[in-house]
Amino acid sequence: MAKVLVVTSGKGGVGKTTTTAALGAALAQSGQSVVVVDFDVGLRNLDLVMGAERRVVFDLINVVQGVAKLPQALIRDKRLESLWLLPASQTRDKDALTDEGVGRVIDELRSRFDWILCDSPAGIERGATLAMRYADEAIIVTNPEVSSVRDSDRIIGMLDSKTVRAERGERVEKHILITRYDPGRAARGEMLNIDDILEILATPLLGIIPESQDVLKASNVGTPVTLNNAESAPARAYVDASRRLMGEEVAMTVPAERKGFMNRLLGRRAA
Amino acid sequence: MDVRADPTRQLVRLRGRSYVAFVFSPVVPIVEWLAEIDATLARSPGYFVGKPIVLDLASVDLSSSAIAHLLGSLTERSIRVLGIEGVDEERLGANMPPLLTGGRACVITRNEPVQKPEPEAKPKPTSLLLECPVRSGQSIVFMEGDVTVLGSVGSGAEIVAGGSIHIYGTLRGRAMAGVNGNSNARIYCQRIEAELLAIDGYYQTAEEIDIALRNRPAQAWLEGDTMKITPLN
């Protein structure tokens, strides 16, 4: 049974595209067939993070408008057999997406894949509402900062009212994914802590991705972080999150501050 | 050559059609009854225009000349009589409206009680219960009475109620109670971190709310022109 999952957030720059690529790769690695769809028309990035930017011929807009067939636009990942990408167009207007066109593409994807991961543009505009419109589940990506958390709250409200599921009286299953979490700064009160975020958003937690250089490194070489360095802390956190998505019970690990001697020394000096 | 047009036979078509006619039943003294008609016309001059009117003379005993006079008085008021009933045919003159029989009663006022009780049977709800959190950007407006929220009210959300507001979670957004001018309305919440509290137009912003109250159960009410916020128990 195909699942349509939207990766969304209110605020931009919290890591939606990184998350889409990392979770897509992690799900594909566990044997599921996965397509990641870039809904960020006008500002496409998912193809870059997936390392497929030089193989884009047709895109989502072409398929929605009927210029190209879906198989022509789908790009197979070079590393994983069961991972596919449906890229966005950077040259088109974001208004080129239509409700029924997106619905048709999603329906066609449903018949081919186990997982359809939609990378939503930030904000609450048409592009974001179209990305979430046909979703069965949603991952709300949020940073441990107040602006990001408040905007996520707004997005959760929209998921409860503007999706096809909500209009039919059903529920879109929602998960919170906290990215760029720095345990040291959270302990010093420079960041919201996890309990506060979950209390504000009143939505179950899918995972906590620690702040790490590995994320930046991976996206710069065009590889999902889960493939680039599978042993890194963010990669392991994403793999855990993907297993939770598949219904496995995985204990939640809250990244802890590594109290090395140098760290302690520097921490004291900073204080 | 003869030019001859065959006269086509014109068929007389009889069709039935029914109208609802007003029935005037004059009572003695006729002068006072006419004064009543005048009063109705004064309120709405066009009321009888284009409406079929039947004169029911069963309750009065008028001579032929009195009927003629009554018809004349009605014509003066631009009321045209379609027919007359309830009188012997010999009292009607040749230029008077025809005698009608067999009219069926049609009580116009009977329609109203049939429609009316249906909507009134269901009393309007006086309180609104929300079982889910109110999210940022949502605005709940309920002028009819109290609003109860079982979850939290997010920062950037607002609740506007005609009555009191009860929040069994954290109030981070705005709460406006008693917006209809109900100064007895109150705001209760399990944890107060509100952006704004207002009762009947008197308000306090987050800055003015005592910091000692933060994160505690609290209630707000109006005492004259000042809003009081105190911890619950």
Side-chain angles (χ1 to χ4, degrees), chain A residues 150-151 153-158 160-161 174 196 199-203, chain B residues 133-138 152-157 170 172 191 193 195:
Chain A
R150 186 208 268 181
D151 292 351
D153 195 43
R154 173 89 212 254
I155 292 298
I156 296 171
M158 288 175 63
D160 286 336
S161 60
K174 298 177 291 282
D196 287 345
E199 212 271 320
I200 292 171
L201 297 179
T203 304
Chain B
V134 180
R135 301 290 180 181
S136 173
Q138 289 185 316
S152 297
V153 177
S155 155
T170 310
R172 297 192 182 85
R191 276 176 72 182
E193 280 178 56
E195 289 169 352

Side-chain angles (χ1 to χ4, degrees), chain B residues 9-130:
Chain B
R9 211 170 130 225
Q10 203 79 47
L11 290 175
V12 178
R13 287 206 174 161
L14 293 177
R15 289 204 193 96
R17 189 161 294 181
S18 60
Y19 293 90
V20 174
F22 282 118
V23 177
F24 278 1
S25 307
V27 286
V28 280
I30 297 287
V31 182
E32 280 181 23
W33 180 79
L34 283 172
E36 282 292 317
I37 297 270
D38 285 337
T40 309
L41 284 173
R43 283 197 300 271
S44 49
Y47 193 72
F48 297 114
V49 173
K51 293 198 175 122
I53 305 269
V54 171
L55 207 54
D56 179 7
L57 299 174
S59 57
V60 288
D61 185 23
L62 296 178
S63 65
S64 188
S65 61
I67 294 172
H69 186 255
L70 176 59
L71 286 170
S73 315
L74 290 174
T75 311
E76 274 172 33
R77 291 165 176 81
S78 309
I79 295 172
R80 297 184 61 192
V81 176
L82 177 77
I84 299 176
E85 64 176 7
V87 70
D88 289 337
E89 195 166 13
E90 56 262 29
R91 293 204 195 167
L92 298 184
N95 53 351
M96 288 185 190
L99 185 73
L100 297 175
T101 51
R104 274 176 293 174
C106 153
V107 181
I108 296 166
T109 50
R110 197 188 285 164
N111 281 338
E112 290 166 21
V114 176
Q115 322 169 318
K116 176 173 70 177
E118 290 294 332
E120 274 181 54
K122 233 186 194 171
K124 270 195 164 181
T126 55
S127 76
L128 175 72
L129 174 68
L130 301 165

Side-chain angles (χ1 to χ4, degrees), chain A residues 7-23 139-146 148-149 152 175-183 185-186 191-194 197-198 201 205-213 215-216 225 233-235 237-238 241 252-253 255:
Chain A
V7 179
T8 184
S9 78
K11 198 168 172 289
V14 294
K16 286 179 297 299
T17 303
T18 306
T19 297
T20 310
L23 286 179
I139 295 177
I140 300 104
V141 181
T142 190
N143 286 166
E145 57 177 292
V146 281
S148 173
V149 172
S152 297
H175 315 271
I176 297 291
L177 187 80
I178 300 170
T179 54
R180 308 199 64 169
Y181 186 76
D182 185 333
R185 299 186 62 193
M191 274 183 177
L192 283 178
N193 66 45
I194 302 216
I197 297 171
L198 295 182
L201 297 179
L205 180 65
L206 182 73
I208 306 157
I209 313 300
E211 168 86 46
S212 167
Q213 292 293 321
V215 177
L216 188 64
V225 63
Y238 273 121
M252 189 69 67
T253 46

Side-chain angles (χ1 to χ4, degrees), chain A residues 102-174:
Chain A
V102 170
R104 216 179 48 237
V105 173
I106 296 280
D107 271 345
E108 208 177 332
L109 290 171
R110 268 181 203 272
S111 63
R112 292 164 168 259
F113 296 97
D114 298 328
W115 291 88
I116 298 138
L117 267 61
C118 305
D119 182 20
S120 164
I124 55 165
E125 277 187 84
R126 210 174 118 82
T129 45
L130 273 176
M132 67 170 68
R133 180 127 187 93
Y134 298 92
D136 305 315
E137 286 190 37
I139 295 177
I140 300 104
V141 181
T142 190
N143 286 166
E145 57 177 292
V146 281
S147 58
S148 173
V149 172
R150 186 208 268 181
D151 292 351
S152 297
D153 195 43
R154 173 89 212 254
I155 292 298
I156 296 171
M158 288 175 63
L159 284 164
D160 286 336
S161 60
K162 300 231 162 129
T163 52
V164 171
R165 278 202 166 217
E167 281 163 14
R168 285 201 303 244
E170 296 166 11
R171 287 179 63 83
V172 175
E173 207 180 311
K174 298 177 291 282

